[in-house]
């Protein structure tokens, strides 16, 4: 129990600092209502800020130090006049709103399950809120759109939600079964394999083991372009009567055999496993994923091969290199994407660790089971949440996620 409480304390110490533009929050009107349970405007402001902070910290964890998001870079607008703050809000607003609804439904189930907070938990709630009020001052928090009472109320709701989650899922998701994990995987993943044919550049490894992209010679390019044309006829058009040259002796080879013989890059012999959620913006932007998502099992589609660079790069060689800017991509060939049938329990095989990091699939399954339980309860009881008109100026643009915040960075030390 102490370990769980400690983790919760660390979570709750994610105190957010907000730009003081919420002068209208003093009335603290109710935005969401479910029976006697509510989410107020001040709670909404605080929860949005915490959501944004966790999102940015998660993004920054995968970026090199010179690319991490900062208060300043979040406000920079792109060529279309859209700031990264606005992009994040548009992309993740539905997820945030869903987290609000889930928190509200959990309050109802807390009562129906007959759960209670312990004295130690209530002491943690009050002492955590008091520490934050003491650090910033009540008047400062009010300028930012919430107050000490808001903190105590949000923390109590979060502790109650954690109790409901443990009641449904068990401590550390111990109630989740192997069957539930497999079912989640089968219904939420797709699998595909790629034959990659380079027609502009190829990977080159020098004597020091350094890899670079080198431009193909004209003869290599002509041969590769012919190979692409014939593979398109064979795999995409299923045309065996075509006048083949390179593939004339390979018409009866399987896709895997053609992959082994012709693919210029041979990663993941069993294929790649990706979530099949079309609302995932990063996946949706991948032409390979989109081709697989839109295909039937066994179908092959041809897409342009693109390589993206986060930090920029020089490619080419022989005095004929080109520079790719950070965030840009260049086209270097064609990919023949085949959607494969999902196999059983690939997440238990080490060669698939890149697609199933430890605990991620189990966590996603637990979230799905938890959310489904809440929604089934709502359906069975014909529940509905009354939502008032939102305050239009409460967006990511005006809640500040300062990653240097003392209480966030030092939460593990408390």
């Amino acid at each position: 129990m102490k370990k769980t409480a400690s983790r919760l304390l660390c979570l709750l110490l994610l105190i957010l600092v907000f730009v003081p533009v919420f002068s209208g929050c003093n009335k603290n009107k109710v935005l969401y209502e479910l029976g006697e349970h509510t989410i107020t405007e001040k709670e909404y402001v605080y929860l949005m800020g915490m959501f944004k902070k966790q999102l940015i910290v998660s993004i920054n964890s995968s970026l090199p130090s010179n690319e991490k998001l900062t208060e300043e870079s979040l406000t920079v607008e792109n060529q279309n006049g859209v700031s990264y703050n606005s992009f994040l809000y548009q992309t993740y607003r539905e997820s945030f709103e869903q987290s609000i609804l889930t928190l509200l439904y959990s309050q109802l189930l807390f009562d129906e399950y007959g759960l209670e907070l312990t004295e130690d938990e209530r002491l943690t709630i009050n002492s955590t809120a008091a520490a934050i009020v003491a650090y910033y001052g009540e008047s400062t928090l009010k300028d930012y759109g919430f107050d000490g009472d808001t903190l105590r109320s949000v923390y109590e709701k979060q502790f109650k939600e954690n109790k409901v989650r443990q009641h449904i899922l068990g401590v550390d998701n111990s109630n989740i079964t192997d069957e539930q994990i497999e079912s989640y995987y089968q219904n939420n993943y797709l699998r595909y394999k790629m034959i990659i044919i380079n027609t502009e550049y190829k990977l080159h490894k020098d004597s020091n083991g350094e890899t670079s992209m080198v431009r193909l010679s004209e003869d290599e390019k002509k041969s590769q372009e012919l190979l692409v044309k014939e593979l398109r006829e064979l795999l995409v058009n299923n045309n065996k009567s075509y006048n083949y040259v390179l593939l004339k002796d390979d018409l009866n080879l399987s896709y895997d055999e053609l992959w082994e013989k012709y693919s210029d890059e041979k990663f993941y012999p069993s294929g790649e496993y990706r979530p099949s959620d079309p609302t995932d913006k990063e996946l949706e932007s991948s032409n390979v994923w989109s081709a697989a998502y839109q295909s039937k099992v066994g179908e092959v589609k041809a897409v342009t091969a693109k390589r993206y660079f986060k930090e920029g790069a020089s490619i080419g060689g022989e005095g004929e290199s080109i520079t790719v800017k950070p965030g840009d991509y260049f086209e270097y060939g064609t990919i023949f994407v085949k959607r494969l049938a999902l196999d059983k329990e690939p997440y238990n095989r080490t060669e698939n660790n890149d697609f199933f990091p430890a605990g991620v699939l189990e966590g996603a399954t637990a979230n799905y089971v938890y959310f489904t339980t809440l929604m089934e309860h709502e359906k069975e009881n014909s529940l509905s949440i009354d939502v008032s008109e939102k305050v239009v100026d409460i967006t990511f643009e005006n809640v500040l996620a300062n990653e240097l915040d003392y209480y966030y960075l030092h939460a593990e030390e408390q």
Side-chain angles (χ1 to χ4, degrees):
M1 185 61 195
K2 288 184 178 179
K3 184 177 181 181
T4 301
S6 175
R7 286 201 299 266
L8 281 170
L9 177 59
C10 291
L11 171 65
L12 297 180
L13 285 172
L14 293 175
I15 170 66
L16 276 301
V17 181
F18 301 95
V19 176
V21 297
F22 301 108
S23 57
C25 289
N26 292 329
K27 296 180 180 179
N28 202 26
K29 66 183 179 183
V30 171
L31 298 184
Y32 295 81
E33 187 171 2
L34 178 61
E36 62 182 32
H37 302 287
T38 62
I39 298 292
T40 66
E41 183 174 334
K42 291 180 181 179
E43 291 172 329
Y44 187 86
V45 168
Y46 176 79
L47 287 166
M48 179 180 285
M50 185 164 65
F51 181 91
K52 178 186 173 184
K53 167 170 280 189
Q54 291 170 317
L55 176 63
I56 290 175
V57 169
S58 176
I59 293 172
N60 278 346
S61 67
S62 63
L63 295 176
S65 58
N66 63 327
E67 292 184 26
K68 291 185 185 300
L69 297 175
T70 64
E71 296 171 46
E72 182 178 359
S73 65
L74 285 168
T75 62
V76 175
E77 296 182 350
N78 63 17
Q79 59 185 8
N80 297 318
V82 178
S83 69
Y84 201 75
N85 256 327
S86 181
F87 167 75
L88 288 176
Y89 181 68
Q90 294 168 14
T91 303
Y92 293 98
R93 179 177 180 175
E94 287 187 12
S95 296
F96 169 67
E97 295 287 346
Q98 188 58 63
S99 72
I100 292 289
L101 300 181
T102 301
L103 181 64
L104 197 54
Y105 275 117
S106 69
Q107 307 307 296
L108 196 67
L109 287 183
F110 182 88
D111 294 340
E112 294 193 7
Y113 290 156
L115 303 174
E116 295 181 356
L117 295 179
T118 66
E119 289 300 317
D120 285 346
E121 288 167 336
R122 292 193 179 279
L123 178 62
T124 298
I125 290 170
N126 292 328
S127 62
T128 301
I132 293 171
V133 171
Y135 183 79
Y136 287 103
E138 187 75 61
S139 61
T140 300
L141 297 184
K142 287 181 179 179
D143 287 340
Y144 295 145
F146 55 93
D147 52 30
D149 288 339
T150 304
L151 299 179
R152 281 183 283 272
S153 177
V154 169
Y155 296 169
E156 181 174 318
K157 285 181 171 67
Q158 291 173 330
F159 264 80
K160 287 182 176 180
E161 182 177 25
N162 185 67
K163 287 263 189 174
V164 172
R165 284 185 65 94
Q166 287 192 3
H167 182 82
I168 295 172
L169 305 173
V171 177
D172 294 330
N173 300 328
S174 58
N175 291 348
I176 296 299
T177 65
D178 292 341
E179 289 74 18
Q180 287 174 317
I181 294 174
E182 177 67 12
S183 176
Y184 180 84
Y185 152 72
Q186 290 287 343
N187 288 289
N188 292 279
Y189 275 77
L190 59 81
R191 176 185 172 212
Y192 56 83
K193 194 169 180 177
M194 301 181 291
I195 294 177
I196 301 174
I197 307 299
N198 299 325
T199 56
E200 295 290 341
Y201 298 88
K202 62 183 178 181
L203 285 174
H204 172 72
K205 184 175 291 187
D206 61 24
S207 57
N208 296 320
E210 296 293 328
T211 301
S212 61
M213 297 296 292
V214 177
R215 190 183 298 274
L216 297 180
S217 68
E218 285 303 313
D219 288 342
E220 289 175 321
K221 185 175 180 178
K222 288 180 181 179
S223 177
Q224 291 291 83
E225 288 175 344
L226 177 58
L227 179 58
V228 166
K229 186 175 183 179
E230 294 192 1
L231 283 172
R232 190 186 300 272
E233 289 296 328
L234 181 62
L235 296 174
V236 179
N237 299 332
N238 297 309
N239 180 12
K240 289 191 175 183
S241 62
Y242 183 78
N243 185 24
Y244 290 98
V245 178
L246 298 177
L247 300 181
K248 61 182 180 180
D249 297 324
D250 300 329
L251 301 185
N252 294 318
L253 293 184
S254 67
Y255 180 93
D256 285 344
E257 289 171 327
L258 291 170
W259 175 85
E260 184 65 39
K261 185 172 182 178
Y262 291 109
S263 185
D264 289 318
E265 298 178 29
K266 296 181 177 66
F267 305 118
Y268 309 116
S270 298
E272 300 190 14
Y273 301 81
R274 304 291 183 183
S276 56
D277 180 6
T279 64
D280 187 312
K281 301 299 181 182
E282 183 175 351
L283 288 174
E284 189 180 32
S285 65
S286 165
N287 60 346
V288 172
W289 180 89
S290 296
Y293 179 78
Q294 296 166 10
S295 299
K296 299 177 182 179
V297 171
E299 185 178 359
V300 178
K301 290 183 181 295
V303 300
T304 301
K306 300 179 180 181
R307 195 173 299 278
Y308 292 83
F309 290 89
K310 287 185 177 180
E311 301 183 34
S314 293
I315 56 178
E318 298 295 330
E320 196 180 0
S321 63
I322 61 174
T323 299
V324 183
K325 298 178 181 179
D328 285 352
Y329 68 87
F330 72 98
E331 300 174 358
Y332 64 94
T334 299
I335 298 177
F336 293 91
V337 188
K338 180 178 182 179
R339 182 162 182 174
L340 305 176
L342 290 172
D343 48 354
K344 187 176 180 181
E345 299 182 3
Y347 42 85
N348 287 331
R349 298 195 294 273
T350 56
E351 68 263 24
N352 296 321
N353 285 350
D354 285 352
F355 310 112
F356 303 103
V360 171
L361 186 61
E362 179 183 298
T365 303
N367 288 336
Y368 174 77
V369 170
Y370 176 65
F371 177 75
T372 301
T373 301
L374 295 184
M375 294 302 100
E376 287 177 350
H377 180 83
E378 177 239 356
K379 186 176 181 180
E380 290 172 0
N381 293 276
S382 300
L383 300 175
S384 62
I385 294 180
D386 294 326
V387 184
S388 73
E389 182 178 350
K390 305 292 190 308
V391 179
V392 295
D393 61 353
I394 304 179
T395 68
F396 278 10
E397 284 88 341
N398 50 36
V399 295
L400 177 64
N402 180 358
E403 67 174 331
L404 297 181
D405 178 81
Y406 175 87
Y407 274 99
Y408 178 79
L409 287 183
H410 297 277
E412 295 292 339
E413 301 172 10
Q414 303 297 315

